[in-house]
Amino acid sequence: MPLTRIALSTGVELDVQLAGEEDAPPVILLHGFPESHRTWRHIVPDLARDHRVIAPDQRGYARSSKPGAVADYAPDRIVADLIALADALGIGRFTLVGHDWGGAIAWKAALTRADRVARLVIVNAPHPLVFQRSLFDDPAQRAASQYITRVRGTSTNTNWTDQGLERMFDATFALHAPPGMGEAEKAAYLDEWAQSGAMTAMLNWYRASPIIVPAPGEAPPRPAFLDAPFPPVTQPTLVVWGTQDRALLPVQLDGLEALVPDLTVERVAGGHFIPWQAPDAVLAAMRRWGI
């Protein structure tokens, strides 16, 4: 399906996949790292039967704009893109679906823009308080998250590029691929990653994030907000969780109901990338919930 280039009031241009009838209920799908709108390639056709579907390549990814500063990838900038995209398409309130980093943005948008986010679907993306608390209190999650410190390193994008993107794909990302991911899929990823500035921009999402990742055994000062009252997510929320996720452990579901009063959790067999590892199960969970 062709992409539409949309200039936003935030100063960036995004490539966006649009599907479904314009007068159908709108749903916006946000991908994570290291992907694009193609995260949802098995999800969009079904949703488009009865929804207006909007799936952008977020800033820094594929051929969308790639601002040069790390600060340009702070979460508030990405949320501003989301609202500006809805504005550009004449959409008021919408259902928001996010996976991985797209899920992190979806949590933040739900908390800060309840006037626009009507319903929330999270796919393997941790609630900000639960995640930060687990990095201080859960040794297993802290150990599993040390990759964040590594990818924040200034040499990471250079090293990956020097080694060749295909080698990077085979050594890391391909480990998550389900049987049958062919050369065409691999070529699509490599094409997106090879766009000028893309690797640096994608990694800048990690560098701009305020999340604190203590080293194993470290005892840094504990942020006060971890033990203070935290605002609830007021929207009806579905969390779909791949139970074999090795980066985000089941502790991310612990205590979530206290922060999200209208919560439904669906556990799915699969790893971190269940939108394309187990799309039928993800779709079934969304449909049961009422999308």
Side-chain angles (χ1 to χ4, degrees):
M1 193 172 291
L3 301 178
T4 300
R5 189 79 168 182
I6 299 179
L8 304 184
S9 59
T10 53
V12 301
E13 296 182 359
L14 303 184
D15 282 345
V16 184
Q17 182 182 14
L18 302 173
E21 299 296 330
E22 288 192 9
D23 60 352
V27 56
I28 300 180
L29 309 175
L30 300 181
H31 68 83
F33 177 91
E35 301 204 84
S36 67
H37 72 282
R38 297 183 63 259
T39 295
W40 311 105
R41 56 192 176 273
H42 304 302
I43 304 291
V44 168
D46 189 84
L47 288 185
R49 293 187 296 108
D50 48 12
H51 287 80
R52 183 185 189 185
V53 182
I54 302 98
D57 290 341
Q58 299 200 76
R59 68 164 67 192
Y61 286 85
R63 289 169 173 79
S64 290
S65 294
K66 299 171 182 63
V70 170
D72 291 324
Y73 299 89
D76 62 333
R77 303 285 183 94
I78 315 299
V79 171
D81 286 348
L82 167 68
I83 301 303
L85 175 60
D87 289 344
L89 294 171
I91 293 170
R93 287 171 62 76
F94 52 87
T95 296
L96 181 58
V97 182
H99 171 253
D100 185 75
W101 268 113
I105 297 304
W107 281 119
K108 184 174 179 66
L111 286 162
T112 61
R113 295 306 307 260
D115 59 320
R116 303 297 294 274
V117 180
R119 297 191 298 169
L120 182 66
V121 179
I122 298 293
V123 185
N124 281 71
H127 183 282
L129 177 64
V130 176
F131 188 44
Q132 185 63 91
R133 188 180 284 163
S134 72
L135 292 174
F136 275 77
D137 298 342
D138 190 275
Q141 183 60 69
R142 185 186 295 196
S145 297
Q146 292 305 304
Y147 73 92
I148 296 176
T149 300
R150 292 193 295 273
V151 302
R152 282 172 166 171
T154 56
S155 63
T156 304
N157 51 297
T158 301
N159 289 341
W160 282 354
T161 302
D162 287 348
Q163 292 175 5
L165 293 177
E166 185 167 4
R167 182 176 173 184
M168 171 193 159
F169 183 97
D170 292 338
T172 58
F173 192 63
L175 302 178
H176 300 280
M181 178 179 273
E183 289 300 312
E185 293 287 357
K186 178 177 178 179
Y189 280 106
L190 294 179
D191 172 71
E192 292 173 349
W193 297 351
Q195 297 307 305
S196 178
M199 187 56 65
T200 297
M202 290 157 60
L203 294 171
N204 279 345
W205 282 57
Y206 287 94
R207 295 166 180 146
S209 168
I211 197 75
I212 300 167
V213 185
E218 183 184 3
R222 185 178 181 85
F225 81 88
L226 293 186
D227 303 303
F230 199 87
V233 172
T234 58
Q235 296 89 341
T237 300
L238 169 67
V239 172
V240 185
W241 203 265
T243 55
Q244 284 80 53
D245 193 328
R246 292 178 291 178
L248 297 169
L249 306 182
V251 67
Q252 299 309 321
L253 301 178
D254 291 352
L256 194 54
E257 65 280 356
L259 297 162
V260 189
D262 190 349
L263 175 67
T264 301
V265 176
E266 292 256 9
R267 292 170 174 83
V268 170
H272 181 69
F273 294 96
I274 53 172
W276 47 261
Q277 289 174 325
D280 291 345
V282 174
L283 269 169
M286 293 170 68
R287 291 301 192 179
R288 279 194 297 271
W289 187 66
I291 290 187

